[in-house]
Amino acid sequence: MKKTALIITLILSVFNCEDVIEVDIPAEAPRLVVDALIRVDIDDPNFVARVKVSETNSFFGQTTPTGLNQITLINQETNEFQVLLEEEEGSGIYSKMTGTDFFTSGEILLQINYQDEIYLAFTEFVPSAEINSLTQGDGTLFNDDEIEIVVNFTDNQDRTDFYLFDFGFNNYITTEDTFYQNQDFEFSFFYDEGMQEGEDVEIKIMGVDEDLYNYMNLLIEQSGDNFGPFQTPAVTVRGNIINATDIDNIENSNNVNLNDNFALGYFAVVEERKQTITIQ
Amino acid sequence: MLCTALMSAQEKFTLSGTVSEASSNETLIGVNIIFPELKTGTTTNEYGFYSITLPEGNYEVIISYLGYKSIKETVELSINTSKDFKLTESSEELDEIVITEDVERINIRKPQMSVNALSISTVKQIPVVLGEADVIKSLLLLPGVSSAGEGASGFNVRGGAADQNLILLDEATIFNSSHLFGLFSVFNPDAIKDVKLFKGSIPSRYGGRVSSVLEIFQKEGNNKEFKANGGIGFVASRLLLEGPIKKEKSSFLIGGRASYAHLFLPLFDIENRAYFYDLNTKLNFKINKKNNLFFSGYFGRDVFSINDNFINTYGNSVLNLRWNHLFSDKLFSNLSLIYSDYFYGLELDFVGFLWNSGIQNMNIKYDLKQYVSDKLQINYGLNNTYYIFNPGKIQPSSADSGIIEEQLVKKYANEAAAYIDVQHNVTDKLSLEYGLRLSHFTRLGQEELFVYENNQPVIFDPLTLIYQSAEPIETIARSRNKSITNYTNLEPRLAASYIINNNSSVKASFTRLAQYLHLLSNTSSPTPLDVWTPSGPFVKPQLLNQYALGYFRNIKEGDYSLETEVFYKDLDNRIDYIDGANLIANEAIERVILNGEGRAYGLEILFKKNAGDFTGWLAYTLSKSEQRTPARNANETGINNGQWYNTPYDKTHDISLYGNYKLNEKWSFNTNFIFQTGQPTNYPIGQFEFQGLTIPYYGLRNVERLPNYHRIDIAATLTPRKNADRKLKGEWVFSIYNLYNRRNAASINFRRNQDTGVNEAIRTSIFGIVPAVSYNFKF
């Protein structure tokens, strides 16, 4: 239904007139950002797990990669751990070739030491569903240059599922199975990227949990350029990475009084499946 | 001797009847009936009825009403007398000597304050966008009333939310007052007789919303002769027919308005439709002196479609039956049976589903008005409303759609109220209006009800500091006949006026109001797909106290008037939404809602020039409106860290200037100027990247503001001279909206430009300069 709101907004934008203006904006001190959405291909026994770390900047500035003192993944069930290493000095990309099994069972802890602070996040592997087919349609939604791709997939049996689609070009869509439990579900996505005939497009589906589903919804909404005159309340999109430096579980077991003490980003391990279609 | 003197002093008789417009017999609301020798008087009620009881004698009586020629007559009161008065419109008497127009003069004596009445002729003169006369847009020119801007539904009164306005059309609740997402309101100005907005000091006969009551009455229809009027405009055309069914006894009125189907075609290069229409009907039967019967109906729809991929329909329907009965010349009664609903439907072909949601209500009310003496009038009555809420139903749009049909659990509730309201002129100087409303709300059982651990549908993670929805631990079923939650509230209302001298008075009031319904809306103004939800086990009723104090003055015998008021409001249980709350198709809305509070205060000044060729007003409002949702316990932060923040409708300064200049019989000119402090908004305090997306992020809510909003509109009305001897009377209205083409920001959004990779602030503005012409006619 998110899509509905989006369309209403788009209709309204018909009346609108948009222009770029100069605005003085406030800025806060740089904050750690952890992009740790680890996409697992379960058919591959080994793969490279990658985490990207950076610092925030004011909206009109540039975000910059940053360096960590240490970054470790620990499987709480097996007590196995993996230390990630920076791929290239100054890139902010930390990685490790890891067995797929490490991720697919048990709770996984991400621990980061950064500028004398300790950050933690917990997650568990979420399975996905198979894309049955991708077909190109001839429909359009808002302009004649759009390319329609019809996605068909089968919902997982008897469980509440949340899915995240990655259509490339930074196009993400979330969906939940409330209204199509156990069904073959088909929907259309409309590309507006001016793609050429013969171009390959890879479409990916990931299984996510409800928290990540909510998080991605917020990111899509806040980053999107599909807005109209309805102003939605702005939120600080907090993820699941907590600052545990001051938590000793004796005097302090939460961050309620340190509510400015957090990192942005998200840590999750998800199954990803993909298919490619060639634009006709 | 003494005995007979006493006797004759006690001998009192009642003068009663109706006041109507001479040419159509349309009854008139709020006409002043004044007895200058006794310094007393009364006004006609919503059905044009008046009654006053006075000592025996011969009196001069003056009947005066805005825009009409006053009548001065002598009545001999020696028995109970029934007398009807007929008024003629002052503008029709072209050749008469110009008399001072008795226009919207303030009644300094009545305790009623915080109320604004607009005549429908004023509404029709105010310049508006695309030339379509609009009741709600006109209200925005009054002090204490604002909106989120162009293309925003609803209106905000004294720092209140749009869902806190009770909008009544012929006593029936209208749930959505906007067409085309707020560009126009749903009221056809031709079909309307009277508009009144209560911003505070709300009499006890009203209840159910905490901010304001907008009461609109439709015309009854001319019972003397057949008449038609209408208009042709840029956006829509309208036609209204009225006439007698049986002369002087019964009448009908039917009015339709429709916009042009391909309204926005030029703006799109693909097939699309966007239009609205509405239909107003009324039948009215004068059965005899003591009984009148009214049927009225309203039906309106908006339709949008794009490529048949997307079809969106929504609107209100209202049907009601009212029966006026006079028990005696001192006791007036009205029984109303009302049905009202709001429907929202959506068809999304590319996802394969149909969706509809809405609210229905059935209302029975019985109101009595007892005219005890010229010093005392008592109103009392009962009101019961039964509600059915449809949060949403989803259906597959075709056989091969994967969507499973599902009805989100419907909700049911009943709201009952009893009230008494006394209007009491205590001394020559002091008048009081005091009343009490007892309201009772029952949330009835439904098929599925969720039960949560510790009764908490919203939980807080003290480590990530995020409010989250709790998982229900159990689902239970309760019969629709059983109550699951009850709320009872006593709502006292008190207003007093004290006359300082012939021309000035002070007034004070206290109003307590309860609101049991909530519009789930997380945007700065409501959207058509917002869903209403009842109070219940987790969502508490909104409770408001309002205190107001005012000074009122007529200058130069009412040629000018000055109204100043200060108000303070505190509101409990204003719902607030957790970050990222999804309100659409949400089966358990309690899982994204927390109960917060609100407060608003301000100063309003209204200075009017009521007489002469130039009339108009200057309205100024200085106000503050805030809300907060504190932590429920020490292990939480509350929404926005539990701090007060500006509501989206907090406008520090709001200035409206309206002027009407009548040059001659042919030309008249109107203008408005509007200035408002920019709406509260958010600017990002930083940005970050995640999976290729660039995301602006924000700090505390609503600390920034959009640029100030201002514009000037002008209109000229041409009434051709040859009209006078023609049956068809026409007029042309030329208007220019936003004369200096200011690009007022409706919103500022922040995004990364996907083509250039540069971050940008994007201003969205709705209307630049908009010229329009419309033609109105009557015959």
Side-chain angles (χ1 to χ4, degrees):
Chain A
M1 291 307 291
K2 268 262 142 51
K3 192 86 185 164
T4 320
L6 189 153
I7 284 158
I8 301 281
T9 310
L10 279 172
I11 285 191
L12 259 164
S13 52
V14 170
F15 309 110
N16 301 342
C17 162
E18 288 179 356
D19 58 346
V20 176
I21 54 163
E22 296 270 319
V23 176
D24 281 335
I25 51 167
E28 61 156 22
R31 196 181 278 285
L32 176 67
V33 183
V34 182
D35 181 350
L37 179 65
I38 296 172
R39 307 177 180 197
V40 181
D41 176 358
I42 54 166
D43 298 331
D44 198 347
N46 288 295
F47 80 108
V48 180
R50 272 197 185 85
V51 173
K52 196 174 161 191
V53 291
S54 56
E55 274 182 355
T56 61
N57 198 346
S58 81
F59 185 71
F60 295 120
Q62 287 287 323
T63 57
T64 46
T66 190
L68 304 176
N69 303 97
Q70 193 177 37
I71 172 167
T72 317
L73 290 169
I74 303 149
N75 188 312
Q76 304 272 79
E77 199 174 75
T78 60
N79 285 327
E80 248 185 287
F81 68 92
Q82 310 282 349
V83 178
L84 277 60
L85 297 171
E86 194 166 15
E87 286 189 349
E88 200 179 302
E89 177 97 24
S91 67
I93 297 169
Y94 289 77
S95 64
K96 178 80 193 282
M97 172 75 95
T98 313
T100 305
D101 294 347
F102 175 86
F103 289 104
T104 50
S105 82
E107 189 178 47
I108 298 162
L109 166 65
L110 170 76
Q111 185 178 329
I112 288 172
N113 293 15
Y114 168 73
Q115 293 181 355
D116 301 325
E117 306 267 315
I118 299 163
Y119 295 90
L120 301 177
F122 297 88
T123 196
E124 256 179 278
F125 176 77
V126 183
S128 183
E130 194 83 59
I131 295 175
N132 298 330
S133 68
L134 297 177
T135 42
Q136 189 174 340
D138 55 6
T140 56
L141 200 55
F142 293 109
N143 68 61
D144 290 335
D145 303 331
E146 288 167 335
I147 290 171
E148 180 186 22
I149 302 293
V150 182
V151 181
N152 185 303
F153 71 102
T154 308
D155 180 50
N156 279 322
Q157 292 285 312
D158 302 324
R159 41 168 282 173
T160 305
D161 286 288
F162 300 90
Y163 301 105
L164 172 65
F165 279 92
D166 178 353
F167 287 92
F169 309 99
N170 296 332
N171 289 312
Y172 291 92
I173 277 184
T174 56
T175 173
E176 55 165 318
D177 67 355
T178 315
F179 300 116
Y180 54 86
Q181 183 64 256
N182 300 349
Q183 305 289 309
D184 273 359
F185 183 61
E186 202 169 89
F187 68 96
S188 295
F189 181 80
F190 298 90
Y191 279 101
D192 192 15
E193 332 283 336
M195 284 181 300
Q196 302 300 313
E197 216 171 281
E199 198 174 328
D200 282 347
V201 183
E202 197 173 51
I203 293 171
K204 300 156 185 161
I205 179 173
M206 287 164 263
V208 297
D209 64 12
E210 190 173 359
D211 290 344
L212 179 55
Y213 168 84
N214 289 335
Y215 182 76
M216 286 307 297
N217 272 335
L218 279 176
L219 293 201
I220 294 165
E221 203 175 290
Q222 304 266 314
S223 66
D225 53 5
N226 32 47
F227 42 70
F230 295 136
Q231 185 203 318
T232 47
V235 296
T236 301
V237 274
R238 287 176 193 250
N240 65 344
I241 294 158
I242 57 175
N243 186 328
T245 318
D246 294 314
I247 298 175
D248 51 17
N249 281 328
I250 304 160
E251 278 181 10
N252 192 13
S253 59
N254 64 45
N255 280 322
V256 172
N257 297 315
L258 292 161
N259 53 40
D260 204 33
N261 187 11
F262 62 96
L264 291 164
Y266 211 94
F267 171 51
V269 178
V270 301
E271 180 191 357
E272 178 183 78
R273 297 195 168 257
K274 49 192 162 191
Q275 248 191 52
T276 305
I277 182 167
T278 307
I279 303 297
Q280 304 291 312
Chain B
M1 255 322 265
L2 189 70
C3 194
T4 41
L6 262 176
M7 278 292 285
S8 71
Q10 279 172 342
E11 202 74 56
K12 287 192 168 185
F13 297 101
T14 302
L15 179 70
S16 64
T18 51
V19 181
S20 52
E21 203 274 320
S23 68
S24 65
N25 277 350
E26 184 78 40
T27 59
L28 298 171
I29 303 171
V31 177
N32 290 311
I33 294 130
I34 303 157
F35 296 83
E37 290 135 310
L38 299 174
K39 286 189 176 169
T40 189
T42 186
T43 54
T44 56
N45 73 7
E46 297 81 0
Y47 299 90
F49 177 78
Y50 75 93
S51 167
I52 189 163
T53 302
L54 300 168
E56 183 175 356
N58 282 332
Y59 299 111
E60 185 183 80
V61 57
I62 296 172
I63 317 295
S64 79
Y65 189 56
L66 144 81
Y68 287 77
K69 255 186 85 183
S70 297
I71 297 180
K72 200 183 272 190
E73 269 191 40
T74 309
V75 290
E76 187 190 337
L77 204 58
S78 54
I79 48 165
N80 287 338
T81 309
S82 167
K83 189 161 176 56
D84 295 344
F85 294 98
K86 312 261 182 207
L87 297 180
T88 48
E89 276 188 69
S90 51
S91 59
E92 287 183 2
E93 308 291 311
L94 300 182
D95 303 325
E96 302 265 319
I97 359 141
V98 181
I99 48 159
T100 315
E101 270 182 289
D102 214 337
V103 280
E104 287 154 338
R105 282 191 184 157
I106 48 170
N107 192 326
I108 59 162
R109 179 174 185 121
K110 266 194 161 179
Q112 179 67 58
M113 64 188 296
S114 314
V115 66
N116 291 115
L118 267 186
S119 81
I120 207 70
S121 58
T122 307
V123 169
K124 284 184 175 174
Q125 282 168 349
I126 291 174
V128 280
V129 68
L130 296 163
E132 192 66 21
D134 193 309
V135 171
I136 288 181
K137 301 285 181 242
S138 307
L139 291 174
L140 300 179
L141 295 173
L142 296 168
V145 190
S146 65
S147 87
E150 292 136 346
S153 302
F155 54 98
N156 302 103
V157 177
R158 290 188 168 174
D163 73 328
Q164 294 171 340
N165 303 318
L166 179 64
I167 301 171
L168 298 172
L169 180 69
D170 278 351
E171 307 191 15
T173 307
I174 298 287
F175 288 98
N176 182 332
S177 59
S178 303
H179 277 311
L180 297 178
F181 301 105
L183 297 181
F184 308 101
S185 69
V186 298
F187 308 105
N188 179 348
D190 283 342
I192 290 168
K193 169 149 76 174
D194 192 77
V195 178
K196 203 185 232 180
L197 177 71
F198 297 85
K199 300 180 289 188
S201 182
I202 295 171
S204 62
R205 66 178 183 276
Y206 303 107
R209 299 288 188 280
V210 296
S211 261
S212 76
V213 177
L214 174 61
E215 184 155 61
I216 297 174
F217 282 94
Q218 296 193 103
K219 287 206 255 175
E220 285 150 19
N222 192 323
N223 75 10
K224 281 185 148 168
E225 54 180 334
F226 178 80
K227 286 276 178 192
N229 66 68
I232 298 161
F234 264 23
V235 178
S237 286
R238 56 205 146 77
L239 182 67
L240 184 111
L241 308 173
E242 55 182 322
I245 301 172
K246 197 175 169 202
K247 215 167 178 181
E248 309 269 340
K249 284 282 178 204
S250 53
S251 61
F252 72 93
L253 175 145
I254 179 158
R257 181 169 66 147
S259 75
Y260 311 121
H262 293 274
L263 201 51
F264 304 106
L265 188 69
L267 301 160
F268 257 153
D269 57 355
I270 51 169
E271 196 184 324
N272 70 94
R273 286 177 297 154
Y275 62 93
F276 70 82
Y277 58 89
D278 41 33
L279 194 67
N280 298 67
T281 54
K282 193 137 168 182
L283 294 174
N284 150 32
F285 302 92
K286 286 191 181 7
I287 298 167
N288 54 37
K289 263 292 195 206
K290 292 195 180 304
N291 293 288
N292 281 318
L293 212 52
F294 305 89
F295 293 93
S296 55
Y298 168 83
F299 184 81
R301 284 289 182 268
D302 276 66
V303 181
F304 286 88
S305 77
I306 294 177
N307 260 350
D308 290 331
N309 262 332
F310 168 94
I311 302 165
N312 183 197
T313 313
Y314 66 88
N316 299 287
S317 356
V318 164
L319 200 63
N320 72 11
L321 166 64
R322 283 171 298 158
W323 173 39
N324 282 181
H325 175 68
L326 269 184
F327 285 101
S328 74
D329 53 9
K330 293 168 90 168
L331 183 59
F332 177 91
S333 74
N334 176 55
L335 175 72
S336 304
L337 292 171
I338 304 167
Y339 169 84
S340 151
D341 79 19
Y342 175 71
F343 170 85
Y344 177 84
L346 181 69
E347 184 177 343
L348 283 184
D349 213 38
F350 61 97
V351 200
F353 73 77
L354 305 171
W355 170 264
N356 68 71
S357 65
I359 178 170
Q360 289 172 282
N361 81 37
M362 280 135 280
N363 179 208
I364 178 165
K365 63 202 268 288
Y366 194 44
D367 301 294
L368 291 123
K369 216 178 253 293
Q370 192 156 0
Y371 299 86
V372 181
S373 72
D374 64 324
K375 307 261 185 276
L376 190 66
Q377 183 185 321
I378 305 173
N379 307 314
Y380 46 94
L382 295 167
N383 191 338
N384 193 74
T385 311
Y386 178 74
Y387 297 97
I388 301 174
F389 302 83
N390 172 14
K393 182 181 182 177
I394 194 164
Q395 289 166 287
S397 64
S398 63
D400 53 356
S401 163
I403 294 288
I404 309 162
E405 178 165 330
E406 185 166 333
Q407 169 70 56
L408 297 188
V409 177
K410 285 190 176 179
K411 299 169 191 172
Y412 307 89
N414 192 73
E415 187 174 343
Y419 72 86
I420 181 159
D421 173 61
V422 180
Q423 285 163 265
H424 189 178
N425 296 349
V426 183
T427 68
D428 279 352
K429 297 210 174 272
L430 179 69
S431 301
L432 295 177
E433 180 165 353
Y434 40 91
L436 191 64
R437 185 179 179 90
L438 175 69
S439 59
H440 178 81
F441 187 81
T442 309
R443 172 73 179 274
L444 299 164
Q446 61 193 52
E447 277 165 36
E448 281 177 18
L449 267 174
F450 294 125
V451 180
Y452 302 92
E453 198 172 349
N454 302 325
N455 237 354
Q456 291 216 331
V458 177
I459 48 176
F460 185 74
D461 183 330
L463 292 168
T464 58
L465 306 180
I466 300 175
Y467 279 100
Q468 288 165 324
S469 301
E471 281 306 313
I473 49 172
E474 199 189 340
T475 305
I476 54 172
R478 285 283 178 273
S479 155
R480 273 173 67 180
N481 306 321
K482 292 250 162 57
S483 144
I484 49 174
T485 318
N486 282 298
Y487 293 101
T488 304
N489 282 294
L490 263 184
E491 305 170 36
R493 319 281 168 90
L494 179 65
S497 72
Y498 184 80
I499 296 178
I500 303 168
N501 57 40
N502 267 344
N503 284 315
S504 58
S505 67
V506 284
K507 299 183 187 185
S509 69
F510 168 75
T511 312
R512 182 168 173 83
L513 291 154
Q515 175 167 349
Y516 300 99
L517 307 189
H518 314 263
L519 183 66
L520 301 172
S521 178
N522 206 2
T523 46
S524 54
S525 72
T527 69
L529 75 162
D530 291 340
V531 179
W532 287 87
T533 200
S535 296
F538 305 107
V539 181
K540 295 184 205 156
Q542 304 182 53
L543 297 172
L544 178 116
N545 292 322
Q546 180 174 171
Y547 310 83
L549 190 66
Y551 173 73
F552 300 82
R553 188 180 164 92
N554 280 324
I555 303 161
K556 287 198 173 171
E557 297 186 343
D559 286 358
Y560 300 86
S561 61
L562 175 70
E563 302 170 50
T564 51
E565 291 193 30
V566 286
F567 65 89
Y568 178 82
K569 309 206 296 193
D570 67 74
L571 173 67
D572 284 339
N573 305 328
R574 177 68 192 158
I575 56 176
D576 202 352
Y577 307 93
I578 65 173
D579 282 351
N582 180 23
L583 307 180
I584 305 158
N586 190 334
E587 268 199 290
I589 204 73
E590 65 271 16
R591 295 199 284 166
V592 294
I593 286 177
L594 290 173
N595 290 297
E597 58 185 324
R599 66 181 180 200
Y601 43 91
L603 163 74
E604 294 170 2
I605 297 171
L606 179 62
F607 179 72
K608 277 178 154 180
K609 182 174 185 301
N610 299 314
D613 288 336
F614 177 79
T615 55
W617 67 76
L618 171 67
Y620 172 69
T621 312
L622 172 70
S623 66
K624 182 89 197 149
S625 167
E626 297 173 294
Q627 68 181 98
R628 74 165 171 180
T629 307
R632 295 171 295 182
N633 56 55
N635 289 321
E636 278 186 17
T637 57
I639 290 176
N640 199 48
N641 289 340
Q643 296 177 25
W644 285 102
Y645 64 96
N646 293 330
T647 62
Y649 26 88
D650 173 50
K651 307 274 170 74
T652 313
H653 303 282
D654 181 354
I655 302 168
S656 314
L657 183 67
Y658 166 69
N660 172 315
Y661 178 68
K662 197 172 175 187
L663 179 69
N664 52 36
E665 289 311 325
K666 204 171 163 189
W667 285 101
S668 74
F669 300 94
N670 293 277
T671 184
N672 346 307
F673 167 73
I674 289 160
F675 174 92
Q676 278 179 6
T677 303
Q679 185 174 314
T681 189
N682 300 282
Y683 291 163
I685 55 171
Q687 61 162 326
F688 68 99
E689 280 183 44
F690 189 84
Q691 297 290 306
L693 296 171
T694 298
I695 301 112
Y697 74 97
Y698 299 86
L700 294 174
R701 290 185 179 182
N702 289 349
V703 285
E704 305 287 340
R705 283 184 186 273
L706 295 177
N708 292 333
Y709 178 102
H710 53 89
R711 57 159 224 269
I712 285 179
D713 315 322
I714 54 168
T717 307
L718 168 68
T719 314
R721 283 223 168 85
K722 53 193 175 197
N723 263 349
D725 26 83
R726 263 200 194 173
K727 193 161 162 50
L728 175 76
K729 295 187 197 312
E731 66 175 21
W732 292 90
V733 182
F734 306 92
S735 67
I736 302 173
Y737 180 88
N738 196 356
L739 185 65
Y740 50 81
N741 194 25
R742 179 173 163 86
R743 304 190 64 182
N744 283 304
S747 63
I748 293 178
N749 287 281
F750 295 85
R751 68 164 180 208
R752 165 158 292 184
N753 185 321
Q754 293 297 341
D755 300 328
T756 61
V758 173
N759 286 349
E760 296 169 338
I762 309 287
R763 171 175 65 184
T764 304
S765 45
I766 315 261
F767 291 116
I769 183 166
V770 186
V773 183
S774 59
Y775 177 72
N776 299 320
F777 59 88
K778 58 180 173 186
F779 56 83

